[in-house]
mmCIF file of all heavy atoms in Angstrom:
data_model
loop_
_atom_site.group_PDB
_atom_site.id
_atom_site.type_symbol
_atom_site.label_atom_id
_atom_site.label_comp_id
_atom_site.label_asym_id
_atom_site.label_seq_id
_atom_site.Cartn_x
_atom_site.Cartn_y
_atom_site.Cartn_z
ATOM 1 N N ILE A 136 -0.690 -8.054 -9.093
ATOM 2 C CA ILE A 136 -1.520 -7.618 -10.224
ATOM 3 C C ILE A 136 -2.158 -8.824 -10.906
ATOM 4 O O ILE A 136 -3.338 -8.794 -11.241
ATOM 5 C CB ILE A 136 -0.697 -6.760 -11.216
ATOM 6 C CG1 ILE A 136 -0.406 -5.403 -10.570
ATOM 7 C CG2 ILE A 136 -1.420 -6.592 -12.542
ATOM 8 C CD1 ILE A 136 0.620 -4.559 -11.308
ATOM 9 N N ALA A 137 -1.399 -9.905 -11.073
ATOM 10 C CA ALA A 137 -1.949 -11.118 -11.683
ATOM 11 C C ALA A 137 -3.097 -11.668 -10.834
ATOM 12 O O ALA A 137 -4.136 -12.094 -11.374
ATOM 13 C CB ALA A 137 -0.860 -12.172 -11.854
ATOM 14 N N ASN A 138 -2.936 -11.619 -9.508
ATOM 15 C CA ASN A 138 -3.988 -12.096 -8.606
ATOM 16 C C ASN A 138 -5.248 -11.242 -8.741
ATOM 17 O O ASN A 138 -6.355 -11.765 -8.825
ATOM 18 C CB ASN A 138 -3.479 -12.077 -7.160
ATOM 19 C CG ASN A 138 -4.466 -12.659 -6.178
ATOM 20 O OD1 ASN A 138 -5.268 -13.525 -6.512
ATOM 21 N ND2 ASN A 138 -4.415 -12.187 -4.960
ATOM 22 N N ILE A 139 -5.057 -9.935 -8.787
ATOM 23 C CA ILE A 139 -6.198 -9.021 -8.914
ATOM 24 C C ILE A 139 -6.864 -9.191 -10.276
ATOM 25 O O ILE A 139 -8.093 -9.231 -10.376
ATOM 26 C CB ILE A 139 -5.746 -7.563 -8.672
ATOM 27 C CG1 ILE A 139 -5.325 -7.394 -7.206
ATOM 28 C CG2 ILE A 139 -6.847 -6.567 -9.042
ATOM 29 C CD1 ILE A 139 -4.565 -6.121 -6.907
ATOM 30 N N GLU A 140 -6.062 -9.309 -11.325
ATOM 31 C CA GLU A 140 -6.623 -9.514 -12.662
ATOM 32 C C GLU A 140 -7.435 -10.807 -12.710
ATOM 33 O O GLU A 140 -8.505 -10.861 -13.323
ATOM 34 C CB GLU A 140 -5.513 -9.557 -13.720
ATOM 35 C CG GLU A 140 -4.948 -8.193 -14.024
ATOM 36 C CD GLU A 140 -3.769 -8.241 -14.994
ATOM 37 O OE1 GLU A 140 -3.184 -9.325 -15.202
ATOM 38 O OE2 GLU A 140 -3.440 -7.168 -15.525
ATOM 39 N N ASN A 141 -6.934 -11.839 -12.038
ATOM 40 C CA ASN A 141 -7.644 -13.111 -11.990
ATOM 41 C C ASN A 141 -9.013 -12.946 -11.325
ATOM 42 O O ASN A 141 -10.021 -13.474 -11.800
ATOM 43 C CB ASN A 141 -6.801 -14.149 -11.244
ATOM 44 C CG ASN A 141 -7.407 -15.518 -11.291
ATOM 45 O OD1 ASN A 141 -7.918 -15.957 -12.312
ATOM 46 N ND2 ASN A 141 -7.362 -16.202 -10.171
ATOM 47 N N LYS A 142 -9.046 -12.185 -10.224
ATOM 48 C CA LYS A 142 -10.320 -11.939 -9.524
ATOM 49 C C LYS A 142 -11.291 -11.174 -10.417
ATOM 50 O O LYS A 142 -12.452 -11.525 -10.531
ATOM 51 C CB LYS A 142 -10.081 -11.144 -8.234
ATOM 52 C CG LYS A 142 -9.251 -11.841 -7.208
ATOM 53 C CD LYS A 142 -10.086 -12.793 -6.421
ATOM 54 C CE LYS A 142 -9.262 -13.376 -5.292
ATOM 55 N NZ LYS A 142 -9.918 -14.497 -4.693
ATOM 56 N N PHE A 143 -10.805 -10.108 -11.039
ATOM 57 C CA PHE A 143 -11.683 -9.285 -11.859
ATOM 58 C C PHE A 143 -12.097 -9.971 -13.161
ATOM 59 O O PHE A 143 -13.112 -9.616 -13.745
ATOM 60 C CB PHE A 143 -11.055 -7.914 -12.136
ATOM 61 C CG PHE A 143 -11.141 -6.978 -10.970
ATOM 62 C CD1 PHE A 143 -9.995 -6.461 -10.406
ATOM 63 C CD2 PHE A 143 -12.364 -6.611 -10.436
ATOM 64 C CE1 PHE A 143 -10.066 -5.594 -9.314
ATOM 65 C CE2 PHE A 143 -12.452 -5.747 -9.349
ATOM 66 C CZ PHE A 143 -11.300 -5.241 -8.787
ATOM 67 N N SER A 144 -11.343 -10.960 -13.584
ATOM 68 C CA SER A 144 -11.718 -11.680 -14.807
ATOM 69 C C SER A 144 -13.012 -12.471 -14.615
ATOM 70 O O SER A 144 -13.633 -12.902 -15.588
ATOM 71 C CB SER A 144 -10.587 -12.608 -15.263
ATOM 72 O OG SER A 144 -10.479 -13.717 -14.391
ATOM 73 N N LEU A 145 -13.443 -12.649 -13.373
ATOM 74 C CA LEU A 145 -14.694 -13.348 -13.080
ATOM 75 C C LEU A 145 -15.910 -12.463 -13.361
ATOM 76 O O LEU A 145 -17.032 -12.950 -13.424
ATOM 77 C CB LEU A 145 -14.717 -13.798 -11.613
ATOM 78 C CG LEU A 145 -13.580 -14.717 -11.171
ATOM 79 C CD1 LEU A 145 -13.615 -14.935 -9.657
ATOM 80 C CD2 LEU A 145 -13.628 -16.039 -11.915
ATOM 81 N N LEU A 146 -15.679 -11.164 -13.537
ATOM 82 C CA LEU A 146 -16.774 -10.223 -13.768
ATOM 83 C C LEU A 146 -17.107 -10.116 -15.257
ATOM 84 O O LEU A 146 -16.241 -10.292 -16.116
ATOM 85 C CB LEU A 146 -16.402 -8.837 -13.245
ATOM 86 C CG LEU A 146 -16.113 -8.713 -11.751
ATOM 87 C CD1 LEU A 146 -15.653 -7.300 -11.433
ATOM 88 C CD2 LEU A 146 -17.336 -9.083 -10.935
ATOM 89 N N SER A 147 -18.357 -9.757 -15.523
ATOM 90 C CA SER A 147 -18.764 -9.495 -16.905
ATOM 91 C C SER A 147 -18.241 -8.122 -17.316
ATOM 92 O O SER A 147 -17.889 -7.298 -16.469
ATOM 93 C CB SER A 147 -20.290 -9.524 -17.017
ATOM 94 O OG SER A 147 -20.835 -8.424 -16.307
ATOM 95 N N SER A 148 -18.241 -7.871 -18.602
ATOM 96 C CA SER A 148 -17.777 -6.580 -19.104
ATOM 97 C C SER A 148 -18.610 -5.425 -18.553
ATOM 98 O O SER A 148 -18.053 -4.411 -18.118
ATOM 99 C CB SER A 148 -17.785 -6.583 -20.634
ATOM 100 O OG SER A 148 -17.240 -5.390 -21.125
ATOM 101 N N PRO A 149 -19.954 -5.537 -18.518
ATOM 102 C CA PRO A 149 -20.736 -4.444 -17.928
ATOM 103 C C PRO A 149 -20.431 -4.234 -16.432
ATOM 104 O O PRO A 149 -20.401 -3.096 -15.958
ATOM 105 C CB PRO A 149 -22.194 -4.881 -18.117
ATOM 106 C CG PRO A 149 -22.161 -5.837 -19.253
ATOM 107 C CD PRO A 149 -20.831 -6.527 -19.173
ATOM 108 N N ASP A 150 -20.175 -5.329 -15.706
ATOM 109 C CA ASP A 150 -19.817 -5.201 -14.289
ATOM 110 C C ASP A 150 -18.485 -4.472 -14.130
ATOM 111 O O ASP A 150 -18.316 -3.645 -13.227
ATOM 112 C CB ASP A 150 -19.728 -6.573 -13.610
ATOM 113 C CG ASP A 150 -21.098 -7.162 -13.297
ATOM 114 O OD1 ASP A 150 -22.103 -6.417 -13.324
ATOM 115 O OD2 ASP A 150 -21.158 -8.383 -13.016
ATOM 116 N N ILE A 151 -17.538 -4.779 -15.004
ATOM 117 C CA ILE A 151 -16.238 -4.110 -14.961
ATOM 118 C C ILE A 151 -16.402 -2.622 -15.243
ATOM 119 O O ILE A 151 -15.826 -1.779 -14.558
ATOM 120 C CB ILE A 151 -15.235 -4.771 -15.932
ATOM 121 C CG1 ILE A 151 -14.860 -6.158 -15.419
ATOM 122 C CG2 ILE A 151 -13.992 -3.906 -16.112
ATOM 123 C CD1 ILE A 151 -14.027 -6.986 -16.375
ATOM 124 N N ASP A 152 -17.227 -2.296 -16.245
ATOM 125 C CA ASP A 152 -17.486 -0.886 -16.563
ATOM 126 C C ASP A 152 -18.095 -0.159 -15.368
ATOM 127 O O ASP A 152 -17.678 0.955 -15.026
ATOM 128 C CB ASP A 152 -18.418 -0.762 -17.776
ATOM 129 C CG ASP A 152 -17.765 -1.195 -19.075
ATOM 130 O OD1 ASP A 152 -16.511 -1.234 -19.134
ATOM 131 O OD2 ASP A 152 -18.509 -1.517 -20.028
ATOM 132 N N GLU A 153 -19.071 -0.793 -14.720
ATOM 133 C CA GLU A 153 -19.703 -0.203 -13.528
ATOM 134 C C GLU A 153 -18.696 -0.012 -12.406
ATOM 135 O O GLU A 153 -18.701 1.010 -11.718
ATOM 136 C CB GLU A 153 -20.826 -1.113 -13.020
ATOM 137 C CG GLU A 153 -22.186 -0.783 -13.563
ATOM 138 C CD GLU A 153 -23.262 -1.608 -12.868
ATOM 139 O OE1 GLU A 153 -23.490 -1.412 -11.647
ATOM 140 O OE2 GLU A 153 -23.863 -2.443 -13.549
ATOM 141 N N CYS A 154 -17.848 -1.010 -12.234
ATOM 142 C CA CYS A 154 -16.834 -0.958 -11.188
ATOM 143 C C CYS A 154 -15.863 0.199 -11.433
ATOM 144 O O CYS A 154 -15.522 0.932 -10.503
ATOM 145 C CB CYS A 154 -16.089 -2.292 -11.139
ATOM 146 S SG CYS A 154 -15.120 -2.537 -9.659
ATOM 147 N N ILE A 155 -15.438 0.372 -12.662
ATOM 148 C CA ILE A 155 -14.527 1.469 -13.006
ATOM 149 C C ILE A 155 -15.168 2.811 -12.691
ATOM 150 O O ILE A 155 -14.552 3.682 -12.063
ATOM 151 C CB ILE A 155 -14.110 1.390 -14.496
ATOM 152 C CG1 ILE A 155 -13.206 0.177 -14.741
ATOM 153 C CG2 ILE A 155 -13.419 2.682 -14.939
ATOM 154 C CD1 ILE A 155 -12.974 -0.143 -16.206
ATOM 155 N N ILE A 156 -16.410 2.994 -13.099
ATOM 156 C CA ILE A 156 -17.124 4.252 -12.845
ATOM 157 C C ILE A 156 -17.252 4.489 -11.335
ATOM 158 O O ILE A 156 -16.976 5.589 -10.841
ATOM 159 C CB ILE A 156 -18.512 4.242 -13.526
ATOM 160 C CG1 ILE A 156 -18.341 4.298 -15.054
ATOM 161 C CG2 ILE A 156 -19.383 5.400 -13.032
ATOM 162 C CD1 ILE A 156 -19.597 3.972 -15.843
ATOM 163 N N ALA A 157 -17.641 3.436 -10.609
ATOM 164 C CA ALA A 157 -17.824 3.567 -9.159
ATOM 165 C C ALA A 157 -16.499 3.895 -8.461
ATOM 166 O O ALA A 157 -16.450 4.764 -7.584
ATOM 167 C CB ALA A 157 -18.426 2.289 -8.590
ATOM 168 N N LEU A 158 -15.414 3.220 -8.851
ATOM 169 C CA LEU A 158 -14.119 3.469 -8.220
ATOM 170 C C LEU A 158 -13.610 4.875 -8.524
ATOM 171 O O LEU A 158 -13.029 5.529 -7.655
ATOM 172 C CB LEU A 158 -13.100 2.417 -8.646
ATOM 173 C CG LEU A 158 -13.311 1.033 -8.032
ATOM 174 C CD1 LEU A 158 -12.388 0.016 -8.683
ATOM 175 C CD2 LEU A 158 -13.108 1.061 -6.531
ATOM 176 N N LYS A 159 -13.824 5.335 -9.744
ATOM 177 C CA LYS A 159 -13.433 6.716 -10.079
ATOM 178 C C LYS A 159 -14.181 7.701 -9.191
ATOM 179 O O LYS A 159 -13.601 8.659 -8.688
ATOM 180 C CB LYS A 159 -13.706 7.011 -11.554
ATOM 181 C CG LYS A 159 -12.693 6.415 -12.497
ATOM 182 C CD LYS A 159 -13.003 6.763 -13.943
ATOM 183 C CE LYS A 159 -11.957 6.197 -14.877
ATOM 184 N NZ LYS A 159 -12.250 6.487 -16.284
ATOM 185 N N LYS A 160 -15.473 7.449 -8.995
ATOM 186 C CA LYS A 160 -16.283 8.340 -8.166
ATOM 187 C C LYS A 160 -15.825 8.285 -6.704
ATOM 188 O O LYS A 160 -15.684 9.326 -6.057
ATOM 189 C CB LYS A 160 -17.764 7.956 -8.283
ATOM 190 C CG LYS A 160 -18.681 8.934 -7.619
ATOM 191 C CD LYS A 160 -18.620 10.283 -8.316
ATOM 192 C CE LYS A 160 -19.560 11.274 -7.672
ATOM 193 N NZ LYS A 160 -19.405 12.614 -8.213
ATOM 194 N N VAL A 161 -15.553 7.084 -6.200
ATOM 195 C CA VAL A 161 -15.088 6.935 -4.820
ATOM 196 C C VAL A 161 -13.747 7.647 -4.639
ATOM 197 O O VAL A 161 -13.538 8.365 -3.654
ATOM 198 C CB VAL A 161 -15.000 5.446 -4.419
ATOM 199 C CG1 VAL A 161 -14.229 5.258 -3.125
ATOM 200 C CG2 VAL A 161 -16.395 4.843 -4.300
ATOM 201 N N ASN A 162 -12.841 7.486 -5.595
ATOM 202 C CA ASN A 162 -11.542 8.171 -5.517
ATOM 203 C C ASN A 162 -11.716 9.687 -5.536
ATOM 204 O O ASN A 162 -11.033 10.411 -4.810
ATOM 205 C CB ASN A 162 -10.620 7.722 -6.652
ATOM 206 C CG ASN A 162 -9.957 6.409 -6.349
ATOM 207 O OD1 ASN A 162 -9.509 6.175 -5.228
ATOM 208 N ND2 ASN A 162 -9.897 5.535 -7.327
ATOM 209 N N GLU A 163 -12.624 10.153 -6.369
ATOM 210 C CA GLU A 163 -12.905 11.596 -6.441
ATOM 211 C C GLU A 163 -13.431 12.108 -5.096
ATOM 212 O O GLU A 163 -12.986 13.146 -4.598
ATOM 213 C CB GLU A 163 -13.947 11.831 -7.539
ATOM 214 C CG GLU A 163 -14.365 13.261 -7.747
ATOM 215 C CD GLU A 163 -15.482 13.371 -8.773
ATOM 216 O OE1 GLU A 163 -15.339 12.774 -9.872
ATOM 217 O OE2 GLU A 163 -16.489 14.025 -8.473
#
Side-chain angles (χ1 to χ4, degrees):
I136 289 169
N138 185 29
I139 293 166
E140 285 175 344
N141 186 41
K142 297 278 186 193
F143 283 120
S144 72
L145 302 172
L146 299 175
S147 67
S148 185
D150 283 344
I151 291 172
D152 291 340
E153 267 188 66
C154 195
I155 291 168
I156 291 166
L158 287 171
K159 283 181 178 178
K160 188 65 179 173
V161 167
N162 279 318
E163 180 185 311

